[in-house]
Amino acid sequence: MFAPLEAPMKDFAWGSIGAISAFRGQVVSSAIEAEQWFGGHPRSGTRISRGARETGFSGWLEETGIEFPLLAKLLAAAQPLSIQVHPSDKQAREGFAAGEKRVPLQVSDTRNYSDPSAKPELIICLSPQFRALVGFITVEMLAERLVRWEKAGLDVFSLRTAKKLLDQPLREGIEWALSGDSDVAGCVAGLSTWSLADLDPSMNGVVRDEHHVMSTLATAHPGDPGILFGLLMHHVSLAQGEALFVDAGVVHAYLEGMGLEVMLPSDNVIRAGLTTKYIDRDEFLSVASLEPSSSPPFVVPQEHGDSLLYSGFPAGFRVYKFSQGGSLSVLESHAIVFSDGARGTVSGAESSVDVTPGQVYFVTASEAKIRFEGEGALWIVCPEGQQP
């Protein structure tokens, strides 16, 4: 069975103007479009069409007994999302249970845990570029970054303050950044002033990219201590088709661009800055993995028959990409299919549909093998199930 899915647009303030409707081949909207959620999560609003009948997807899954434990999102950011982290399965279960005892979710907008599930996520770039902050750089990398920024004109006070971070464990540095200390405010002000000023034309591409990221943070969130995270974290720029896996505990903030985001069906987010939403610094410090790494958690797709396969990360899903036709066994796995500019015919063991750009379908495992004849690309999101 191939059944069309639709979902309401979420208009979070950081969203882009018309990017999702353009991707989906619709009349381009002049409204903010941040996310569309496709899956059984109660907040997704996903609806499934069966002939002339349209019904809520989560209710339909329950009625049919079909399990689809994933949430797939189209995400389009024109401004930075919050500095955030997601809990492990154990942390989510315990945090949700403790929250329910204190105050029911329905009467609280200051809960860290809205469900008892972890939220490991894969983000795949769908636009020409996708920028993010992901994970913390090493002391050596921080020292090299400060040398670059000193040459690029960062003020003496900010440099002196930031260099103190070289002589202490990362956890202590993050605790200081979130402390509200007067030196934090002074360093944030200096970083902001530097990032919003013009760079010397002789500065190289690395500094220019870092300067752009910092100016993006300072413009969107003036004076926010979260700007300091731009000093301490990896600056990631994905090209179309490149991907990152963000596991529990990995601190991150998506900055700009459009992506396909796949995760377990959870909305547990613990924030530390760059937001007007609820911030819980103590819980953030408890959940975050405050260990530096030499590289961000990139996912490199592998050739898999006619497709590219995004897998090899510790989460219960995988993603495939078809380009210019092909076939894929989905035996014993239901799937969500996204058309990325695709035009042609998608067929399985039982049925077929004509596909156009931007369509989204739920495909039952009874189709056994998905075949695509046409142009453009399809993204196939599956639970782990049985590896084809």
Side-chain angles (χ1 to χ4, degrees), residues 12 36 75 101 117 170-171 182 230 259 264 299 367 372 381:
F12 305 135
Q36 278 188 305
L75 178 151
K101 288 181 180 178
S117 175
L170 178 59
R171 173 169 289 274
S182 60
L264 299 187
V299 174
E367 294 293 352
F372 172 48
V381 175

Side-chain angles (χ1 to χ4, degrees), residues 154-213:
L154 184 60
D155 68 282
V156 173
F157 173 81
S158 298
L159 281 166
R160 185 174 67 246
T161 305
K163 284 179 179 178
K164 294 178 182 178
L165 297 169
L166 299 172
D167 301 320
Q168 57 184 290
L170 178 59
R171 173 169 289 274
E172 292 182 12
I174 299 299
E175 290 174 345
W176 168 76
L178 298 176
S179 68
D181 185 284
S182 60
D183 280 355
V184 172
C187 191
V188 166
L191 288 168
S192 299
T193 299
W194 170 73
S195 70
L196 296 172
D198 292 335
L199 275 183
D200 187 302
S202 66
M203 292 294 103
N204 66 26
V206 174
V207 173
R208 290 196 170 278
D209 286 345
E210 292 174 331
H211 187 265
H212 172 78
V213 167

Side-chain angles (χ1 to χ4, degrees), residues 20-71:
I20 295 177
S21 55
F23 173 84
R24 300 201 60 201
Q26 301 168 348
V27 175
V28 178
S29 170
S30 59
I32 290 177
E33 299 178 343
E35 294 180 341
Q36 278 188 305
W37 299 11
F38 296 90
H41 191 283
R43 288 187 57 212
S44 74
T46 305
R47 300 187 67 78
I48 185 168
S49 294
R50 297 291 295 117
R53 179 173 175 252
E54 184 181 77
T55 187
F57 186 55
S58 58
W60 180 83
L61 290 174
E62 187 174 345
E63 288 173 11
T64 57
I66 290 175
E67 293 186 6
F68 191 76
L70 299 180
L71 184 61

